[in-house]
């Protein structure tokens, strides 16, 4: 082959040409080149031989008839349809997860807040009553200096200190908040369930 | 739905155009997305052979390929709401099939030990000569010895005749990568086969 043509070989386009992926000018250029270049012709023939070889190995027979295959797949499909639910979830699987986790997380939060309230109430009571203040002083803020026991008993009898009041308020409100959350969750769950049933009915009809 | 079914049933009809088939498939996908199992079953019937073929070429094992193909369709059902009709449904399902096949191979310590592969059953009805069978065996092993990334491209092109764009969509790689991986796979195969077969 003369050097002028050798410099313009179309090797890098032969795969695309062989696969019918070339259009327009590029296709024309490759076709024109193939007319006279035996080297590129040989390379193209190799590609064609390879495809023929690969194509000569047929898919072994499938054990199931098409309908059997489809029926088996149908049997194994999860019951739940995959259309997006009212909760912003990515799939049916994580949706179910979220349903279970939501009330649990809420209960965990309530328990945590409840126990914090309890402990601080207890500490307040101890402080107010002046029962061995040194034993618990490490739990209390530093500026809370030990108080006179007599004074504090009188205080406890007459009046409840401010943090103590706040704790009572919290312990009253928290269950209400929790009950509200629970009702909302129940309503969402019920709506979701209704939709699920509807979907299942259309799917099985 | 009835319309979709009607169109699918007419698929064998000479008058059915490609556009009609595509519309029918779109309707089936839409119905399946709403949870219609019959519609999904039709989609399975359209694509099951291609899916089995992809998995078989990726793994080299036949009963296994059928199981993985079923798994593929179950995954497709649960992920159907993520399908967007930008690319073809076929390339979307083949992506799941390819990933399922790769999962199986990964679970089996990266690549299959190609020497342990069972001899493939000869095609029924087709009388294959012993030489032909041996040749097919050599080719199959050479394909399985390719790196998984370029093997996926080769399988989708050579065995399922996907366009470069469809392969790019299916494997979520750029067109240029499709071309370079395909060229690599073919070059490697040519090299390997010319060593083992007198042909090529
Ligand atoms: Zn040339």
């Amino acid at each position: 082959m003369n050097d002028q043509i050798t410099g313009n070989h179309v090797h890098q386009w032969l795969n695309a040409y062989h696969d019918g992926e070339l259009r327009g000018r590029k296709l024309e250029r490759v076709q024109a080149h193939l007319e006279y270049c035996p080297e590129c012709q040989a390379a193209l023939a190799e590609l064609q031989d390879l495809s023929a070889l690969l194509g000569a190995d047929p898919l072994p027979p499938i054990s199931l008839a098409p309908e059997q295959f489809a029926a088996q797949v149908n049997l194994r499909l999860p019951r739940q349809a995959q259309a997006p639910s009212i909760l912003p979830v990515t799939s049916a699987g994580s949706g179910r997860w979220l349903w279970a986790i939501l009330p649990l997380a809420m209960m965990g939060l309530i328990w945590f807040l409840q126990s914090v309230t309890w402990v601080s109430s207890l500490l307040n009571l101890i402080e107010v009553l002046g029962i061995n203040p040194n034993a618990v002083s490490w739990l209390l803020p530093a500026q809370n200096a030990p108080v006179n026991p007599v004074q504090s008993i009188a205080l406890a009898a007459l009046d409840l200190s401010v943090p103590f009041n706040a704790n009572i308020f919290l312990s009253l409100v928290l269950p209400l908040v929790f009950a509200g959350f629970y009702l909302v969750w129940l309503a969402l769950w019920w709506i979701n369930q209704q939709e699920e049933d509807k979907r299942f009915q259309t799917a099985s009809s | 739905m009835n319309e979709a079914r009607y169109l699918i049933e007419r698929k064998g009809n000479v008058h059915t155009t490609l556009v009609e088939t595509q519309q029918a498939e779109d309707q089936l996908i839409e119905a399946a997305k709403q949870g219609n199992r019959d519609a999904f079953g039709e989609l399975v019937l359209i694509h099951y052979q291609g899916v089995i073929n992809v998995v078989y070429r990726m793994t080299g094992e036949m009963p296994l390929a059928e199981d993985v193909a079923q798994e593929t369709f179950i995954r497709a059902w649960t992920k159907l709401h993520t399908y967007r009709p930008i690319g073809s449904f076929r390339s979307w399902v083949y992506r799941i099939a390819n990933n399922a096949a790769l999962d199986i191979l990964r679970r089996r310590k990266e690549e299959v030990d190609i020497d342990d592969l069972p001899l493939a059953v000869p095609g029924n009805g087709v009388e294959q000569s012993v030489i032909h069978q041996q040749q097919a065996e050599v080719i199959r092993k050479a394909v399985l010895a390719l790196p998984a990334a370029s093997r996926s491209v080769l399988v989708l092109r050579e065995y399922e005749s996907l366009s470069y764009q469809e392969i790019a969509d299916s494997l979520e790689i750029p067109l240029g990568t499709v071309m370079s991986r395909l060229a690599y796979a073919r070059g490697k195969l040519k090299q390997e086969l010319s060593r083992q077969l007198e042909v090529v």
Side-chain angles (χ1 to χ4, degrees):
Chain A
M1 224 44 264
N2 77 52
D3 284 350
Q4 242 182 319
I5 294 163
T6 313
N8 291 325
H9 281 313
V10 288
H11 286 296
Q12 76 268 39
W13 299 112
L14 284 180
N15 274 291
Y17 175 78
H18 169 63
D19 293 318
E21 295 274 347
L22 288 187
R23 303 276 178 277
R25 293 192 67 133
K26 209 163 266 169
L27 175 64
E28 282 167 26
R29 223 193 92 199
V30 172
Q31 269 171 336
H33 180 84
L34 280 167
E35 293 275 314
Y36 59 81
C37 177
E39 199 183 318
C40 287
Q41 282 168 7
L44 179 64
E46 278 184 347
L47 286 177
Q48 288 164 342
D49 287 348
L50 181 66
S51 289
L53 265 179
L54 293 170
D57 179 26
L59 181 68
I62 298 165
S63 68
L64 295 171
E67 288 74 19
Q68 283 178 306
F69 183 90
Q72 279 205 5
V73 169
N74 195 319
L75 278 176
R76 290 179 61 196
L77 291 184
R79 196 209 135 201
Q80 202 169 12
Q82 65 298 314
S85 78
I86 46 169
L87 278 178
V89 291
T90 47
S91 75
S94 58
R96 264 187 309 212
W97 255 105
L98 206 64
W99 279 119
I101 272 181
L102 213 63
L104 280 178
M106 213 130 61
M107 271 168 82
L109 184 73
I110 295 299
W111 280 334
F112 175 74
L113 289 175
Q114 200 81 280
S115 52
V116 165
T117 315
W118 265 68
V119 168
S120 69
S121 301
L122 199 67
L123 289 180
N124 265 307
L125 199 65
I126 289 169
E127 189 201 6
V128 166
L129 294 177
I131 302 165
N132 194 6
N134 293 332
V136 289
S137 60
W138 58 275
L139 277 166
L140 298 168
Q143 67 267 31
N144 278 14
V147 259
N148 183 338
V150 183
Q151 211 179 348
S152 49
I153 289 169
L155 255 173
L158 292 169
D159 178 33
L160 297 163
S161 57
V162 177
F164 201 62
N165 269 332
N167 284 339
I168 283 177
F169 176 73
L170 263 179
S171 62
L172 281 174
V173 164
L174 273 179
L176 285 175
V177 170
F178 178 60
F181 268 131
Y182 183 72
L183 281 174
V184 168
W185 175 80
L186 213 62
L188 282 175
W189 178 81
W190 187 77
I191 293 165
N192 198 54
Q193 204 63 23
Q194 293 294 102
E195 284 194 352
E196 214 69 80
D197 286 351
K198 236 191 305 175
R199 233 179 276 142
F200 182 62
Q201 275 160 17
T202 42
S204 51
S205 63
Chain B
M1 182 47 224
N2 283 334
E3 200 182 347
R5 187 180 260 280
Y6 166 72
L7 285 170
I8 284 295
E9 275 166 5
R10 279 186 57 203
K11 230 180 81 176
N13 193 314
V14 253
H15 300 297
T16 309
T17 64
L18 231 98
V19 179
E20 272 182 313
T21 313
Q22 189 52 53
Q23 282 174 347
E25 189 174 84
D26 291 346
Q27 288 178 23
L28 287 173
I29 295 163
E30 221 23 71
K33 272 187 175 181
Q34 304 300 316
N36 188 321
R37 285 160 176 256
D38 290 339
F40 189 73
E42 301 278 351
L43 290 170
V44 172
L45 284 177
I46 296 170
H47 295 289
Y48 88 104
Q49 196 156 11
V51 167
I52 292 176
N53 196 19
V54 169
V55 180
Y56 171 65
R57 304 302 174 178
M58 289 302 292
T59 61
E61 286 177 62
M62 196 41 190
L64 174 90
E66 289 185 49
D67 289 347
V68 177
Q70 288 201 7
E71 189 59 43
T72 297
F73 284 112
I74 290 158
R75 283 194 204 178
W77 168 257
T78 55
K79 286 177 170 182
L80 204 54
H81 63 282
T82 67
Y83 168 71
R84 298 283 172 273
I86 303 157
S88 72
F89 185 72
R90 174 167 80 147
S91 36
W92 185 75
V93 176
Y94 287 180
R95 176 195 310 166
I96 302 172
N98 185 60
N99 288 339
L102 292 178
D103 285 350
I104 286 283
L105 294 178
R106 217 168 286 135
R107 244 175 277 157
R108 294 189 174 180
K109 306 260 156 67
E110 296 305 315
E111 303 295 310
V112 273
D113 188 351
I114 44 177
D115 291 324
D116 290 346
L117 284 176
L119 271 157
V121 195
N124 56 345
V126 186
E127 270 306 313
Q128 283 181 306
S129 67
V130 178
I131 293 170
H132 192 150
Q133 277 186 44
Q134 284 173 342
Q135 197 187 58
E137 190 70 15
V138 168
I139 296 164
R140 211 171 302 135
K141 284 185 176 179
V143 171
L144 288 168
L146 290 171
S150 43
R151 185 162 80 243
S152 300
V153 177
L154 182 98
V155 163
L156 293 180
R157 177 61 224 162
E158 292 285 2
Y159 295 104
E160 281 301 314
S161 307
L162 260 61
S163 70
Y164 287 4
Q165 188 55 58
E166 281 182 303
I167 298 171
D169 292 343
S170 185
L171 303 176
E172 294 178 295
I173 52 176
L175 260 177
T177 310
V178 171
M179 292 166 83
S180 59
R181 285 186 189 171
L182 187 59
Y184 173 81
R186 281 173 171 161
K188 197 88 181 151
L189 272 185
K190 196 187 84 181
Q191 200 184 336
E192 193 60 30
L193 292 178
S194 58
R195 213 160 50 80
Q196 301 197 37
L197 305 170
E198 285 79 27
V199 226
V200 180

